[in-house]
Amino acid sequence: MPSTLRPPRLRWPAALAACLLATAAQAGEIRVEVRADDGEPLADAVIVAVPEQGGAAAGARRDRAVMDQEDKEFVPYVLPITVGTQVDFPNHDSIRHHVYSFSPAKRFELPLYIGQPAAPVRFDTPGVVVLGCNIHDWMIAYVYVADSPFFTRSGEDGMATLGPLPAGRYQVRVWHPRLDGAEADTARALDVPATGALSARWQLGLKPDFRIPRAPIPGGSGY
Amino acid sequence: MTRAARYLLLLAGLHAASAPAALLDQAGLELRLDDNLARAELERDITGDVALAASAVGSAGYQLGDSDRLKLSVDLSATAYRRYVGLDMASLRLTASHRHKFGLGAYAPALSLSASVARQEFRDSARTGWHYELDAALSRRISPRLELQLGYGFQMRRADDEDPRVVPFIAANVFDTSSRHLRIRANALITPRYLVSAGYAIHKGDIISTTLRNLPIFLASDAIAADPTFGPERFAYTLTAMTHDVQLSISRLIDDTASMSLGYQFIDSRAEGGIRYRANLVRASYLRQF
Ligand SMILES: [Cu+2]
C-alpha cells in the first residue's frame, strides 16, 4: 500500500485490518491469452478492463512511463498507459532523434535531441498515438492511452495478467497494432471474482505487418 | 599508380578528419551476368561475362537541422571478371550528399543532391581514370509499402591516358565520356518481407561499343582506339546514343540489417547512324548494414 494513501491517524491494528481487507478485495485477476488467427502467440496486444460500475478513476493517477530509443528503434514497440500519464522519451543512441506524432489523441513533436528531453509528454486523451522519428523513417511505436487504470500488455508468449482487480463486472477488450477490425468488437463482459483468477482467451484477426523497411536494398537511398 | 595511390590516401584522410566516427556502414556482394559486355550490335561481336563485385561503405552523417542532413561516404569496391580480366577494377568513391525534407514525418517528400568523385583503377590501364557524378533525386513515400523516386543525373569519365590514334584526325580518347539521365523508380513491399523495385531510365550521351573493324560504327563514332581487353583486332568506339534502361528486382529483407536481391536489367541503346545494341544483365546481391 503506498504510504501517501495511508490515513495519518490510523492505529496499527486498524491499519493492518484495512490492508488485509483491501488485499482481499483486490485479489481477483484475469489471466489473458492472446493468439493470432493462425494460432501463434501474439505479443504486444493491449488488454484493457473497464469496470461497468464506474469507480475506476481514469486520469486520477499520476503515472510515469518511459518510451526509450535504442539502436534507432523505439522500445517498447507498444506502450499502454492510462489517461494522464506522463511519458519520458530518453534517447540512448549517440545520434539525435526527432520524435513526432500526428495522431488526434496526441499531436506533439520533440525536435532533434540526444539524452533526456527537458520535460515528459502528458497524454490526456484516450486513443492510439502513433510515434515516428523524422530522421529514421522506419522507427515506429504505439502509445495506447487507456480510459481505465486496468490494462496490461501481452508478452512474447501471448500471455498477460490483468490485476489485481476489485471484484465486479468488467468490459474487457483487446487492441493490437495489426488488429483487423474494430477494437470495440473484441469487447467481452467478464465477472472478476473476489479471489482467484479468471482465464480468458482472444484470437485476433490480423493485418499483414507492413513496415517501412530498414534493411538496405540495391540502389536504395541509404538513409 | 603512385599518383593515384596518393590521391586515394588524400581522400581517405579528408574523410577521417571530418567524420565523428570512422565506421563500416554497409557491405555488399554482387554476382553479375552481362550478356553483351562489349555493348556490340553484331552477333560476331557480342560477348558476355560474369563478374563478382564486393563493396564496403563507410559514412558519416551530420544532421544540420530538423529537415537537412549531410552525409559523407567513402565507397571502396572491387570487381573481378571471369573471362575479361582486363575489366577487373578497384574503385574508391567519395560522395557528399545533402538531403532536405519538405515537412515532418516519413511521408514528407525529400530532395537529395549528391556529388561524387571516384578513382577507378582497371587491370588494363586504358580505362583507368576518374569518374564524376552529380545527382538530384526527389522521393516521396506514399505508404509503408510504396515509395516513389524521380531522379536526374550527370556523369563524366576521364581516362588518365589517351590511346594512340588509330586513324589520323580522329580522336582516340574513347574512355572520356559523359552522359545524363532521367529516371523513375518505385519500391513496393509485396509482402512484409519481399520488396519489388521497378525502374526506368532514359540516358543521353556517350556509350562505348567494342567491335571488330566496322564501317557503320566508324562513321558514327566520335573517337576510336584499339581495345585489346576484348581481344586482338578489337576497337572501342565512342558513340552518341539514347539509351532506354529498364530494371526490375526483388529483394528479400532478411532482417533489419540485411537483404538479398535478384535483379534484371534490360538496356536498349540507339546511336547515331542507326547503330543499336541491347544487353541483358542479371544481378544477385547481398547487402548488409552495420
Ligand atoms: Cu531517429
Side-chain angles (χ1 to χ4, degrees):
Chain A
M1 200 173 189
S3 59
T4 49
L5 296 183
R6 189 180 296 157
R9 279 181 209 156
L10 210 61
R11 276 197 282 234
W12 74 265
L16 181 64
C19 276
L20 287 172
L21 276 171
T23 309
Q26 289 178 358
E29 57 182 36
I30 308 173
R31 301 221 174 108
V32 182
E33 182 182 2
V34 188
R35 290 188 173 258
D37 34 13
D38 61 4
E40 289 295 306
L42 186 65
D44 290 320
V46 177
I47 303 103
V48 183
V50 181
E52 285 197 351
Q53 307 296 304
R61 293 167 42 157
R62 287 289 173 269
D63 282 0
R64 200 85 181 230
V66 174
M67 175 58 84
D68 216 327
Q69 293 140 73
E70 291 170 23
D71 186 25
K72 300 177 194 169
E73 298 288 356
F74 288 111
V75 181
Y77 179 50
V78 174
L79 176 67
I81 57 172
T82 188
V83 163
T85 301
Q86 303 201 76
V87 178
D88 288 297
F89 288 84
N91 171 4
H92 284 101
D93 284 327
S94 57
I95 43 120
R96 293 185 289 176
H97 293 297
H98 181 162
V99 180
Y100 68 87
S101 153
F102 292 132
S103 301
K106 184 72 186 181
R107 287 173 187 276
F108 73 99
E109 207 183 317
L110 300 172
L112 290 174
Y113 69 97
I114 273 187
Q116 188 77 31
V121 177
R122 189 181 156 95
F123 292 79
D124 283 320
T125 310
V128 175
V129 179
V130 187
L131 304 176
C133 169
N134 193 42
I135 312 304
H136 309 102
D137 287 344
W138 65 82
M139 286 176 67
I140 187 169
Y142 299 86
V143 177
Y144 184 101
V145 188
D147 53 353
S148 161
F150 309 120
F151 59 84
T152 186
R153 179 185 62 205
S154 63
E156 290 300 321
D157 56 359
M159 306 299 289
T161 301
L162 247 176
L165 299 171
R169 171 164 280 218
Y170 289 79
Q171 282 292 324
V172 184
R173 59 178 202 264
V174 181
W175 176 87
H176 189 270
R178 291 165 56 201
L179 179 66
D180 192 11
E183 179 188 353
D185 294 345
T186 67
R188 277 181 215 171
L190 295 177
D191 291 309
V192 174
T195 56
L198 175 77
S199 290
R201 188 173 191 267
W202 272 264
Q203 193 147 5
L204 300 182
L206 298 177
K207 292 183 278 196
D209 192 12
F210 284 110
R211 298 197 208 177
I212 296 176
R214 180 177 178 178
I217 54 162
S221 56
Y223 285 89
Chain B
M1 210 38 199
T2 51
R3 186 172 59 113
R6 274 207 308 276
Y7 273 118
L8 299 190
L9 281 174
L10 176 68
L11 291 180
L14 274 176
H15 175 75
S18 66
L23 292 168
L24 175 64
D25 210 44
Q26 203 179 89
L29 209 56
E30 179 186 277
L31 185 69
R32 186 163 67 224
L33 279 82
D34 186 331
D35 74 347
N36 188 1
L37 200 58
R39 305 289 179 253
E41 181 181 33
L42 302 177
E43 202 61 49
R44 62 169 201 200
D45 298 320
I46 291 175
T47 179
D49 202 359
V50 181
L52 186 67
S55 66
V57 182
S59 70
Y62 305 90
Q63 197 67 40
L64 304 175
D66 290 346
S67 311
D68 292 274
R69 181 176 169 83
L70 176 69
K71 190 175 169 182
L72 299 176
S73 56
V74 175
D75 182 342
L76 186 63
S77 70
T79 308
Y81 284 81
R82 197 186 58 159
R83 189 170 161 206
Y84 295 103
V85 293
L87 294 175
D88 289 358
M89 194 252 287
S91 155
L92 186 91
R93 179 177 297 279
L94 182 72
T95 305
S97 60
H98 182 109
R99 185 195 195 215
H100 177 80
K101 229 174 174 181
F102 298 94
L104 182 68
Y107 302 102
L111 176 69
S112 296
L113 299 173
S114 71
S116 78
V117 54
R119 178 67 197 170
Q120 298 179 332
E121 297 273 344
F122 287 85
R123 190 185 290 269
D124 283 356
S125 61
R127 284 174 165 80
T128 291
W130 295 92
H131 185 232
Y132 308 90
E133 271 184 342
L134 292 173
D135 198 87
L138 195 60
S139 61
R140 171 92 203 250
R141 180 168 285 285
I142 309 298
S143 74
R145 298 180 65 174
L146 181 65
E147 185 189 24
L148 303 177
Q149 293 170 359
L150 176 71
Y152 181 84
F154 170 81
Q155 62 97 26
M156 188 169 83
R157 200 177 292 277
R158 285 291 171 266
D160 291 349
D161 310 308
E162 185 167 332
D163 285 307
R165 289 194 175 190
V166 177
V167 185
F169 312 114
I170 294 192
N173 58 336
V174 279
F175 300 114
D176 292 350
T177 60
S178 66
S179 67
R180 55 213 148 88
H181 78 265
L182 186 67
R183 67 180 187 275
I184 51 168
R185 176 173 153 132
N187 296 326
L189 285 169
I190 50 168
T191 77
R193 285 267 156 243
Y194 284 92
L195 183 138
V196 165
S197 243
Y200 167 78
I202 184 159
H203 304 256
K204 213 175 163 180
D206 300 322
I207 58 160
I208 300 161
S209 183
T210 297
T211 71
L212 293 169
R213 236 174 244 283
N214 181 318
L215 185 64
I217 294 192
F218 171 73
L219 293 174
S221 64
D222 303 316
I224 305 168
D227 192 4
T229 300
F230 283 97
E233 301 301 312
R234 301 276 167 168
F235 294 88
Y237 299 86
T238 306
L239 305 165
T240 304
M242 178 90 90
T243 303
H244 301 276
D245 173 349
V246 180
Q247 298 192 34
L248 192 65
S249 70
I250 184 159
S251 299
R252 172 163 165 75
L253 310 175
I254 298 166
D255 55 25
D256 279 346
T257 62
S259 71
M260 280 176 78
S261 306
L262 189 66
Y264 169 72
Q265 183 178 15
F266 173 70
I267 297 171
D268 183 358
S269 213
R270 292 156 207 237
E272 285 167 8
I275 315 288
R276 184 175 185 184
Y277 78 77
R278 294 191 182 94
N280 296 278
L281 286 85
V282 175
R283 292 181 170 87
S285 57
Y286 173 83
L287 262 186
R288 196 192 144 99
Q289 188 99 42
F290 294 97

